[in-house]
């Protein structure tokens, strides 16, 4: 891919940012004992883009959302003038996820999939955009073949969160379990410009247990040789390993975020990725992007970034929509 940088070449031009992902309804039992029902998945990233994007940005979600809840979800996004919802399709069932925290960070997920599969035909109208952020929730939401065709058809920056591709839904427990990537992992890494994963996902992608920081850094360097400009490996509240390719050389950065007593870390990865990508699009400076992303992810863990009133799923409104 040959990435574009429309925003840096002409500060007055419109930046077209496409966000491809999966809206989900999260039911969360927090570690502090509180119980909430909220919009999750790509919603965290979209609201982060909306808060950070310059006024001349056009944010285009490309996704499918359950037809019974679509009016409520779209109403949330329509309050932002930078949002263009023409890529949103109404479908049958929506993804539902139940998260129960055992510790402030460790959780168990029980998932009920909806109808969110995207094809190349769904993505094709947006090929001319300047930047693409991909963060799907379920392995069937976007296939490797679709991503490959899409990647070859566009020249915009392409950011991928790898997590959904290295987990599978256990049919009995309905919980996610890690799985090795079902294709040679080099195939997907070579298709994107920036890629994000956590340490467990890195191990599943490569098909081996990561035992030392040195081993992790060596794998990040290997990935950079395949084409990406940036590789990010997160560790929950621990350090972030970032690999950056600059010309023919690569460098590895390890950054430690400030320790905070998280109120609810759900969506921190989604917020982190969106904040990083927006700063990267603006500056093409990975160090500035990492600093910005860690700061905003920290605020989100404290629930001080996105107002909970935006995210709270309106039960009464949903009942009225379902009955109409």
């Amino acid at each position: 891919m040959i990435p574009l940088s429309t925003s840096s070449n002409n500060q007055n031009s419109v930046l077209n940012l496409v966000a491809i992902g999966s809206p989900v309804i999260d039911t969360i039992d927090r570690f502090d004992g509180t119980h909430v029902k909220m919009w999750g998945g790509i919603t965290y990233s979209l609201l982060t883009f909306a808060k950070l994007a310059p006024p001349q940005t056009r944010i285009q979600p490309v996704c499918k959302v359950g037809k019974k809840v679509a009016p409520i979800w779209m109403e949330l996004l329509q309050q932002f003038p930078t949002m263009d919802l023409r890529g949103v399709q109404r479908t049958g069932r929506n993804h539902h996820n139940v998260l129960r925290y055992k510790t402030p960070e460790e959780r168990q997920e029980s998932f009920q999939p909806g109808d969110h599969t995207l094809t190349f035909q769904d993505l094709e109208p947006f090929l001319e955009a300047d930047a693409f952020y991909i963060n799907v929730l379920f392995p069937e939401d976007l296939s490797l073949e679709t991503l490959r065709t899409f990647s070859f058809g566009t020249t915009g920056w392409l950011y991928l969160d790898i997590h959904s591709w290295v987990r599978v839904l256990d049919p009995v427990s309905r919980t996610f379990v890690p799985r090795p990537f079902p294709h040679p992992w080099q195939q997907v890494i070579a298709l994107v410009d920036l890629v994000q994963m956590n340490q467990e996902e890195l191990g599943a992608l490569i098909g081996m247990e990561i035992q030392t920081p040195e081993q992790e850094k060596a794998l990040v360097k290997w990935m950079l040789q395949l084409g990406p400009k940036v590789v990010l490996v997160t560790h929950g509240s621990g350090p972030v390993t970032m690999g950056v390719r600059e010309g023919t050389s690569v460098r590895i950065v390890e950054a430690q975020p400030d320790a905070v007593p998280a109120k609810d870390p759900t969506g921190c990865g989604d917020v982190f990725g969106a904040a990083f990508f927006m700063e990267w699009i603006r500056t093409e400076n990975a160090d500035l992007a990492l600093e910005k992303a860690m700061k905003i992810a920290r605020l989100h863990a404290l629930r001080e970034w996105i107002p909970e009133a935006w995210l709270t799923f309106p039960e009464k409104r949903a009942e009225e929509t379902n009955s109409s």
Side-chain angles (χ1 to χ4, degrees):
M1 299 179 66
I2 306 173
L4 299 176
S5 185
T6 301
S7 58
S8 61
N9 292 336
N10 183 351
Q11 294 297 329
N12 296 318
S13 63
V14 174
L15 170 71
N16 291 310
L17 168 60
V18 171
I20 301 166
S22 313
V24 64
I25 299 170
D26 283 335
T27 300
I28 307 171
D29 289 329
R30 291 172 169 163
F31 187 67
D32 66 5
T34 57
H35 176 87
V36 294
K37 193 169 186 178
M38 317 192 84
W39 295 111
I42 196 67
T43 310
Y44 289 119
S45 302
L46 288 169
L47 294 177
T48 297
F49 285 135
K51 292 190 67 174
L52 294 177
Q56 66 271 29
T57 307
R58 180 184 296 121
I59 303 168
Q60 299 176 291
V62 177
C63 61
K64 296 181 179 179
V65 59
K67 60 185 177 182
K68 292 183 178 180
V69 298
I72 306 170
W73 188 73
M74 295 174 74
E75 183 180 321
L76 165 64
L77 299 180
Q78 284 168 341
Q79 66 181 298
F80 302 101
T82 52
M83 285 288 172
D84 179 344
L85 301 183
R86 285 175 290 180
V88 177
Q89 301 179 51
R90 303 186 186 205
T91 187
R93 296 169 294 118
N94 205 82
H95 285 331
H96 285 75
N97 204 18
V98 177
L99 303 99
R100 296 183 175 90
Y101 279 88
K102 302 175 181 179
T103 73
E105 289 194 23
E106 295 181 43
R107 69 194 186 202
Q108 182 182 49
E109 295 187 49
S110 178
F111 187 73
Q112 183 63 45
D115 305 316
H116 291 259
T117 301
L118 293 169
T119 66
F120 177 70
Q121 287 69 34
D122 298 319
L123 307 180
E124 187 176 12
F126 305 93
L127 288 175
E128 299 302 318
D130 304 303
F132 303 90
Y133 174 84
I134 301 178
N135 186 358
V136 295
L137 187 68
F138 192 53
E140 281 69 29
D141 290 349
L142 188 74
S143 70
L144 176 62
E145 188 57 40
T146 297
L147 176 63
R148 180 184 292 112
T149 305
F150 180 72
S151 175
F152 292 156
T154 183
T155 56
W157 288 117
L158 205 163
Y159 187 111
L160 176 68
D161 190 324
I162 205 76
H163 70 96
S164 69
W165 293 33
V166 289
R167 63 182 190 175
V168 67
L169 191 64
D170 184 279
V172 177
S173 66
R174 312 303 299 177
T175 60
F176 285 117
V177 294
R179 69 162 182 182
F181 190 57
H183 309 277
W185 62 268
Q186 295 90 339
Q187 292 183 7
V188 66
I189 296 299
L191 295 174
V192 302
D193 301 300
L194 303 96
V195 62
Q196 174 185 339
M197 65 200 82
N198 64 33
Q199 186 182 40
E200 181 181 56
E201 292 157 358
L202 172 61
L205 179 69
I206 302 296
M208 60 185 290
E209 183 180 352
I210 311 301
Q211 297 181 335
T212 66
E214 291 71 27
Q215 188 180 41
E216 177 178 294
K217 292 173 184 177
L219 290 170
V220 169
K221 287 182 179 179
W222 187 6
M223 290 182 177
L224 289 168
Q225 300 297 337
L226 298 174
K229 294 282 288 185
V230 178
V231 176
L232 296 158
V233 182
T234 61
H235 300 79
S237 61
V240 178
T241 301
M242 179 176 73
V244 184
R245 180 167 55 85
E246 298 166 330
T248 58
S249 64
V250 300
R251 63 184 176 92
I252 304 296
V253 175
E254 186 175 83
Q256 177 65 54
D258 294 335
V260 296
K263 178 179 179 180
D264 183 350
T266 310
C268 277
D270 309 304
V271 166
F272 175 92
F276 188 100
F277 194 37
M278 179 55 70
E279 188 66 19
W280 170 266
I281 294 168
R282 289 182 58 253
T283 67
E284 296 184 24
N285 186 313
D287 299 295
L288 289 178
L290 180 58
E291 181 181 356
K292 186 74 166 281
M294 289 195 304
K295 177 182 177 181
I296 290 176
R298 174 186 179 277
L299 291 173
H300 182 70
L302 296 169
R303 291 290 153 162
E304 296 176 0
W305 172 242
I306 300 173
E308 293 222 342
W310 294 0
L311 293 169
T312 301
F313 183 78
E315 299 275 11
K316 186 63 178 176
R317 288 280 311 283
E319 291 174 5
E320 294 170 355
T321 303
N322 290 344
S323 62
S324 61

